[in-house]
Amino acid sequence: AQSVTQLDSQVPVFEEAPVELRCNYSSSVSVYLFWYVQYPNQGLQLLLKYLSGSTLVESINGFEAEFNKSQTSFHLRKPSVHISDTAEYFCAVILSGGYNKLIFGAGTRLAVHP
Amino acid sequence: KAGVTQTPRYLIKTRGQQVTLSCSPISGHRSVSWYQQTPGQGLQFLFEYFSETQRNKGNFPGRFSGRQFSNSRSEMNVSTLELGDSALYLCASSLSGQGNSPLHFGNGTRLTVT
């Protein structure tokens, strides 16, 4: 069975500082990897995804994540955060060829302080 | 293009009652899946439909059911409500339902059971 572990439940950081949100997964078969963001009282928005190819994937708002197969990790990073990045971030996996059964991590609450 | 629409946004029900939640996917998307989000259990997969057929189901009791119509709209029903069913219910749609077709989430229906 697949599982996802987000190593930090909360990450406080000052504005313009770098941040890393950690995600490890467990699976005996190939998976696709995703990061979703959830703002208060909203649904989930796809931040970025790894399906295949380059192990470094980027989003349009400055986040990036690197797939590391040997360490089964997919950590999310941003070199300089803004107040507006305050949200909950979820790492998720799905079996390659699986039907939309996303397995989510418990989430990391990113709090950006001025 | 309109996003995923869920109605209603909020619901308050009493134990023992039943409830129906509605989801309209993005135009052209044929796969609809449902997730339950609670503080204790996090995000959990309920079921996935494609072309009116349930293809995948999570580990929820039979009180949780769903269906999909020919226009891809979906409903989920919870019968004999329990206090523990209080949650944010999220619907997501995708083009094919395959793992490499990212999910687009609605803003959810927040169900409170008293």
Side-chain angles (χ1 to χ4, degrees):
Chain A
Q2 296 72 45
S3 66
V4 178
T5 302
Q6 290 185 242
L7 296 158
D8 306 291
S9 59
Q10 295 186 63
V11 173
V13 64
F14 287 109
E15 195 173 18
E16 297 184 6
V19 71
E20 179 180 77
L21 306 184
R22 297 179 292 169
C23 172
N24 285 93
Y25 70 94
S26 172
S27 177
S28 57
V29 297
S30 295
V31 296
Y32 299 131
L33 296 150
F34 304 86
W35 276 99
Y36 281 87
V37 58
Q38 186 176 35
Y39 299 100
N41 296 317
Q42 293 188 24
L44 302 170
Q45 297 176 28
L46 179 65
L47 197 55
L48 42 76
K49 61 184 184 286
Y50 172 77
L51 303 180
S52 64
S54 172
T55 58
L56 184 66
V57 291
E58 299 175 354
S59 72
I60 57 173
N61 56 357
F63 282 95
E64 63 178 33
E66 185 158 20
F67 169 57
N68 188 317
K69 189 174 182 180
S70 63
Q71 297 185 6
T72 60
S73 68
F74 191 53
H75 300 333
L76 181 69
R77 303 184 187 96
K78 189 170 185 179
S80 175
V81 295
H82 303 288
I83 296 286
S84 59
D85 292 325
T86 295
E88 186 135 24
Y89 293 78
F90 293 92
C91 181
V93 303
I94 191 170
L95 289 180
S96 310
Y99 292 128
N100 278 342
K101 183 179 179 179
L102 277 171
I103 308 299
F104 285 92
T108 297
R109 185 169 297 279
L110 175 64
V112 182
H113 302 285
Chain B
K1 200 181 238 188
V4 177
T5 304
Q6 291 188 247
T7 57
R9 284 299 309 275
Y10 302 93
L11 264 178
I12 300 175
K13 290 287 187 179
T14 305
R15 269 181 304 174
Q17 288 186 315
Q18 74 165 16
V19 67
T20 300
L21 313 181
S22 180
C23 173
S24 293
I26 291 172
S27 177
H29 285 193
R30 296 171 65 189
S31 168
V32 173
S33 49
W34 290 87
Y35 290 80
Q36 182 197 62
Q37 185 177 24
T38 60
Q41 299 298 317
L43 282 152
Q44 294 185 285
F45 172 79
L46 278 155
F47 27 65
E48 188 259 356
Y49 287 88
F50 183 85
S51 293
E52 302 179 68
T53 299
Q54 186 183 90
R55 293 193 300 192
N56 211 342
K57 190 176 188 303
N59 296 323
F60 279 82
R63 300 185 296 107
F64 292 81
S65 62
R67 59 177 176 168
Q68 186 182 33
F69 302 96
S70 57
N71 61 357
S72 294
R73 191 177 69 84
S74 177
E75 289 180 347
M76 69 163 280
N77 184 276
V78 188
S79 62
T80 320
L81 283 166
E82 301 176 0
L83 294 179
D85 297 333
S86 294
L88 181 66
Y89 290 89
L90 293 166
C91 167
S93 73
S94 71
L95 275 170
S96 67
Q98 297 286 341
N100 58 358
S101 177
L103 298 183
H104 299 264
F105 284 83
N107 284 331
T109 293
R110 185 165 296 282
L111 172 65
T112 302
V113 182
T114 62

